[in-house]
Amino acid sequence: MAIRRTSSIWLALAFVVAAGAAIAADTMVMRNGDQVRGQLVAIRNGEVEFREERGFNSRTIRVNLREVQRIDFDDELGNRGNRPDETRGPQPQDTRRDPNDGPAPGMREHQVVVSANVPWVDAGIEVRDGQRIFFRAVGQVTWGKGRKDGPEGEKNSPFNAGRPIPNRPGAGLIGKVGERSSDPFFIGDEQGAIRVRGTGRLFLGINDDNLRDNTGNWRVTIYY
């Protein structure tokens, strides 16, 4: 009986080790040379949220992004990789998903109604230069006789020097950072990530030069 119990224990331990080996783990490499094994949870607000694994114990830690040199990701095949950010030098990036595929789990979500008859609507959030954000806009606006469009704007829209963005579709959804900014960017019905320029308050509006005859609105969800 003792021999059977001992064999059962070893079989159980072998199963645990094998199961642990099959689970992919990430390695966060700090600038001071320390390495932390576990799993990346999120990167937001200048912090890395990381679940540290120590044997059978785990804890979630948060460290300043500047203290992290890189994060190596193990996929299901045991391959490792890391990817630098295009504008900030080597920074932690999750190579297991394309950042343009859609909002990442854990991103904040905020909704705002953008009326077509006002120049700019305060979106109610602060953004930072280079930040990737996502927009999901629904609804239609009427912006003249027989003119009704969604956030993508008018098809085959001609150039109009009076619009905030003259060479982009009329009546399309647009944004800018800072109330006094003169550098708007086009959003439309874009589903991928948009990298904002500037740091400050986000404003949303319509790419039109005559707002007096406009009616309707868009409901815009922002992921940031």
Side-chain angles (χ1 to χ4, degrees):
M1 293 298 292
I3 295 176
R4 289 181 180 178
R5 282 196 297 270
T6 303
S7 300
S8 298
I9 293 172
W10 279 110
L11 285 172
L13 288 174
F15 175 79
V16 169
V17 171
I23 299 174
D26 305 331
T27 302
M28 180 167 60
V29 181
M30 311 300 293
R31 294 193 181 277
N32 63 4
D34 293 345
Q35 296 187 7
V36 183
R37 294 279 288 175
Q39 187 175 32
L40 175 67
V41 177
I43 302 174
R44 52 175 173 254
N45 298 328
E47 285 188 335
V48 177
E49 188 174 340
F50 197 88
R51 188 167 67 246
E52 181 182 16
E53 305 288 350
R54 290 187 174 184
F56 294 100
N57 299 317
S58 66
R59 62 170 183 161
T60 299
I61 60 175
R62 293 175 176 83
V63 297
N64 191 298
L65 185 61
R66 296 178 180 178
E67 299 176 7
V68 181
Q69 181 177 0
R70 71 177 189 276
I71 295 179
D72 294 330
F73 300 101
D74 285 354
D75 59 24
E76 292 80 359
L77 299 176
N79 300 317
R80 282 191 170 187
N82 60 81
R83 179 173 58 193
D85 186 273
E86 295 92 309
T87 60
R88 300 178 58 195
Q91 296 292 335
Q93 296 288 329
D94 191 339
T95 58
R96 292 168 296 190
R97 68 179 301 276
D98 188 331
N100 289 317
D101 283 346
M107 293 187 79
R108 289 171 292 181
E109 180 179 331
H110 181 75
Q111 285 193 349
V112 59
V113 174
V114 179
S115 297
N117 61 349
V118 296
W120 293 101
V121 174
D122 186 344
I125 64 172
E126 301 283 335
V127 296
R128 64 183 183 276
D129 187 48
Q131 181 179 355
R132 287 189 178 99
I133 55 180
F134 296 83
F135 298 90
R136 299 290 184 269
V138 296
Q140 283 191 326
V141 299
T142 299
W143 57 297
K145 188 176 181 179
R147 291 174 132 180
K148 181 180 289 187
D149 288 288
E152 71 282 0
E154 181 185 41
K155 293 182 179 179
N156 302 317
S157 189
F159 180 92
N160 185 335
R163 294 174 185 157
I165 310 180
N167 60 344
R168 300 306 300 270
L173 177 64
I174 59 176
K176 68 176 182 177
V177 179
E179 186 173 10
R180 299 182 179 180
S181 171
S182 58
D183 184 25
F185 58 92
F186 194 82
I187 301 170
D189 59 351
E190 174 62 52
Q191 299 290 299
I194 293 179
R195 190 189 293 273
V196 297
R197 300 188 296 266
T199 297
R201 197 78 164 181
L202 177 66
F203 289 81
L204 301 178
I206 181 172
N207 193 32
D208 190 16
D209 60 335
N210 180 18
L211 307 180
R212 291 190 300 272
D213 58 352
N214 292 358
T215 59
N217 57 66
W218 298 305
R219 183 173 295 275
V220 183
T221 304
I222 309 165
Y223 301 88
Y224 64 109

